[in-house]
Amino acid sequence: MGVLTRREERLLRLLRQRKHRETEGLFVAEGIRAVEDLLASELSIDFVAAASSAGDTPRGRSLIHALLDQNVTLREVSEVELRTLADTESPQGILAVGSVPEGGLDRIRVEREPAVVLVVDAVQDPGNLGTLARTAEALGAAGLVCLPGTVDAWNPKTVRAAMGATFRLPVVESGWNELAPWLRENGFQVLASGTGGEAVGEPAPARTALVVGNEGAGVGDETRARAHRVVGIPLRGRAESLNVAAAGAILMHQLLR
Amino acid sequence: MGVLTRREERLLRLLRQRKHRETEGLFVAEGIRAVEDLLASELSIDFVAAASSAGDTPRGRSLIHALLDQNVTLREVSEVELRTLADTESPQGILAVGSVPEGGLDRIRVEREPAVVLVVDAVQDPGNLGTLARTAEALGAAGLVCLPGTVDAWNPKTVRAAMGATFRLPVVESGWNELAPWLRENGFQVLASGTGGEAVGEPAPARTALVVGNEGAGVGDETRARAHRVVGIPLRGRAESLNVAAAGAILMHQLLR
């Protein structure tokens, strides 16, 4: 275990900003569970910074051993230093810098049917995006596509809410110009979710791109123009809409049953 | 429009804490949308504090007029004062103190079937509880019951995530000793949600108490002992669980279709 280099410390501070995450192709995962999930995934780890408290529990100690076994670069930091570097209030003594996976839509495997690709159109809240990713991966979606205007999938708050899902599920940034031909070639129907949309119905399409939209405005005009249908969930209360992560969960569950 | 009294200012500070919300029977709603929703509900408003920025938009001005029309006590505060009193970073120039509705399980109306009462067992995150309330109201649930150990439904963050749902849906705090006989008398089946639970199946029961549990531990031992069945959502990914608000949305939708 060496000490954190100046370059690494500077990098950790830069990675708080999306533009630096994008230019470096790196992101930060905080906490024992997140670092475990990252280590178990196919993403590569640049380095890990750990304080002594990471070794306070058997689970933390076994994670440190697993990182050493796999020759991950491990840096020792003080508790105070870790807290100033971390986004979370309780990083549990550990954080890792991981590589954002490279590649585009071709990373999404669509052999298994029913296949659902979740497309996110300008969702703003990182917790909502992370929860959508978590639900998509858990229910067996094939991938997650973020359209322009969507919060960064590698934002620390998104990573946290995703509970490891963004390390396992292909997450791709794309615009409609690239996405539309890919969906067509692969036989996907585009369903946009929106207030007043019709029920998904049965049987669900074999291959669906389900688009969920911004928390306030819903899906954008280009999405509406690209969609084969607008689908929704009948509401019986006086609420105008569901939370986007709740709506996405219900619709993905209907499509993937 | 008068100025905020010392008593009112002190009250607003006290209401940040659950114990004072409970002893006073009051809560705070922040922002134009929340105050609109509160005014449109059957809950009574103790007073409203507004800064001049609340009148910056036509919607804000029309809310101020509606409050004056209905003889709500309106207090003028400075922008700075409002921000120090508010929980949100952007309270949009307005907050209201509302009365927590009185009464117990008898507030829940169960004439319409299918009827679902959402029971929350020790959910910790106010955003999750608020989103659950929002989804429950939107899908037509009959009420929300918070078991001991659950975050306060009148916490400002819960109120915000609920988007007005907690002003319209009966929200009741209860323990199993009181809840179990009420559910039995009213012919409710108790379904606890949990990892590895069986699918809800069709047709869904006509009257269901759906219990969702703590973010980490799931439903508690007493809930498991009280439940007729444990239900779940089959997961195809490598995630161990769904977010509780996502799982609750899927299960309520299955029960209320």
Side-chain angles (χ1 to χ4, degrees):
Chain A
M1 264 175 122
V3 295
L4 201 65
T5 66
R6 294 280 294 273
R7 189 197 71 84
E8 288 161 348
E9 191 189 327
R10 183 159 175 276
L11 183 64
L12 279 170
R13 296 190 196 276
L14 289 175
L15 292 179
R16 291 179 186 165
Q17 289 174 270
R18 182 176 190 163
K19 66 175 180 184
H20 292 295
R21 290 194 292 270
E22 284 172 355
T23 51
E24 301 287 343
L26 296 170
F27 69 95
V28 181
E30 300 179 1
I32 286 173
R33 169 67 185 265
V35 179
E36 283 174 352
D37 283 339
L38 185 57
L39 185 65
S41 78
E42 289 175 10
L43 306 195
S44 69
I45 299 180
D46 203 50
F47 67 91
V48 169
S52 61
S53 63
D56 282 353
T57 62
R59 190 170 165 180
R61 281 194 293 279
S62 107
L63 173 58
I64 299 283
H65 285 300
L67 290 164
L68 289 168
D69 279 350
Q70 298 196 31
N71 293 315
V72 173
T73 303
L74 200 58
R75 303 302 191 198
E76 202 166 0
V77 293
S78 72
E79 302 293 336
V80 173
E81 197 174 8
L82 190 80
R83 260 196 296 275
T84 67
L85 294 170
D87 181 74
T88 355
E89 279 175 47
S90 53
Q92 303 171 302
I94 195 161
L95 59 78
V97 173
S99 290
V100 173
E102 288 177 17
L105 294 164
D106 54 313
R107 290 176 51 230
I108 301 175
R109 307 256 60 85
V110 292
E111 291 79 14
R112 205 168 61 176
E113 291 185 351
V116 168
V117 170
L118 181 67
V119 181
V120 179
D121 185 4
V123 162
Q124 293 304 295
D125 180 79
N128 281 339
L129 181 59
T131 303
L132 283 164
R134 177 178 176 186
T135 308
E137 196 264 349
L139 297 181
L144 175 69
V145 176
C146 296
L147 292 173
T150 301
V151 64
D152 184 13
W154 305 101
N155 174 311
K157 292 183 177 63
T158 314
V159 168
R160 199 174 321 139
M163 296 277 283
T166 46
F167 308 156
R168 302 185 288 257
L169 185 73
V171 178
V172 182
E173 288 188 24
S174 173
W176 273 116
N177 284 344
E178 181 193 6
L179 179 60
W182 184 87
L183 290 172
R184 203 161 40 236
E185 277 158 32
N186 287 286
F188 277 78
Q189 272 206 48
V190 179
L191 304 191
S193 67
T195 312
E198 57 183 316
V200 167
E202 292 183 46
R207 294 181 171 207
T208 309
L210 172 69
V211 196
V212 295
N214 175 269
E215 287 86 350
V219 298
D221 291 341
E222 182 160 13
T223 292
R224 286 195 174 259
R226 301 278 192 176
H228 297 100
R229 288 164 60 201
V230 178
V231 296
I233 300 149
L235 302 185
R236 295 204 183 83
R238 278 194 285 155
E240 288 159 26
S241 65
L242 292 172
N243 162 277
V244 62
I250 293 170
L251 293 170
M252 283 191 275
H253 181 258
Q254 289 190 291
L255 292 167
L256 283 164
R257 252 181 316 182
Chain B
M1 261 173 117
V3 296
L4 201 65
T5 67
R6 293 279 296 272
R7 188 197 71 85
E8 288 161 348
E9 190 188 328
R10 183 158 175 276
L11 183 64
L12 279 170
R13 295 189 195 279
L14 289 176
L15 292 179
R16 292 179 185 164
Q17 289 175 270
R18 181 176 190 161
K19 65 174 180 186
H20 292 294
R21 290 193 293 269
E22 283 172 356
T23 50
E24 301 287 343
L26 296 170
F27 68 96
V28 182
E30 300 180 1
I32 287 173
R33 168 67 184 267
V35 179
E36 283 174 353
D37 283 338
L38 185 57
L39 185 64
S41 77
E42 289 175 11
L43 307 195
S44 69
I45 299 181
D46 202 53
F47 67 92
V48 169
S52 62
S53 64
D56 282 354
T57 62
R59 188 169 166 180
R61 280 193 295 279
S62 107
L63 173 58
I64 300 284
H65 285 299
L67 289 164
L68 290 168
D69 278 351
Q70 299 197 31
N71 293 314
V72 174
T73 304
L74 200 60
R75 303 301 190 198
E76 201 168 358
V77 293
S78 72
E79 302 293 337
V80 173
E81 198 174 6
L82 190 79
R83 259 197 296 276
T84 66
L85 294 170
D87 181 75
T88 356
E89 279 174 48
S90 52
Q92 302 172 302
I94 196 160
L95 58 78
V97 173
S99 290
V100 173
E102 288 177 16
L105 294 165
D106 53 313
R107 292 176 52 230
I108 301 175
R109 306 255 59 85
V110 293
E111 291 79 13
R112 204 168 62 176
E113 291 185 349
V116 168
V117 171
L118 181 67
V119 181
V120 178
D121 185 4
V123 161
Q124 292 304 294
D125 181 79
N128 281 339
L129 180 60
T131 303
L132 283 164
R134 179 179 175 185
T135 308
E137 195 265 347
L139 296 181
L144 175 69
V145 176
C146 297
L147 292 173
T150 301
V151 65
D152 184 13
W154 305 101
N155 175 311
K157 292 182 177 64
T158 314
V159 169
R160 198 175 320 138
M163 297 278 281
T166 45
F167 308 156
R168 301 185 289 257
L169 185 73
V171 177
V172 182
E173 287 188 24
S174 173
W176 272 116
N177 284 344
E178 181 193 6
L179 179 61
W182 184 87
L183 290 172
R184 203 163 36 236
E185 277 158 30
N186 286 286
F188 277 79
Q189 272 207 45
V190 179
L191 268 49
S193 68
T195 311
E198 57 183 316
V200 167
E202 291 182 51
R207 296 181 170 206
T208 308
L210 173 69
V211 196
V212 296
N214 175 270
E215 287 86 348
V219 299
D221 290 341
E222 182 160 15
T223 293
R224 287 196 173 257
R226 301 277 191 176
H228 297 101
R229 288 165 59 201
V230 178
V231 295
I233 300 149
L235 301 185
R236 294 204 183 84
R238 276 195 284 155
E240 288 159 25
S241 65
L242 293 172
N243 162 276
V244 62
I250 292 170
L251 293 169
M252 282 191 275
H253 180 258
Q254 288 190 293
L255 292 166
L256 283 164
R257 254 183 315 186

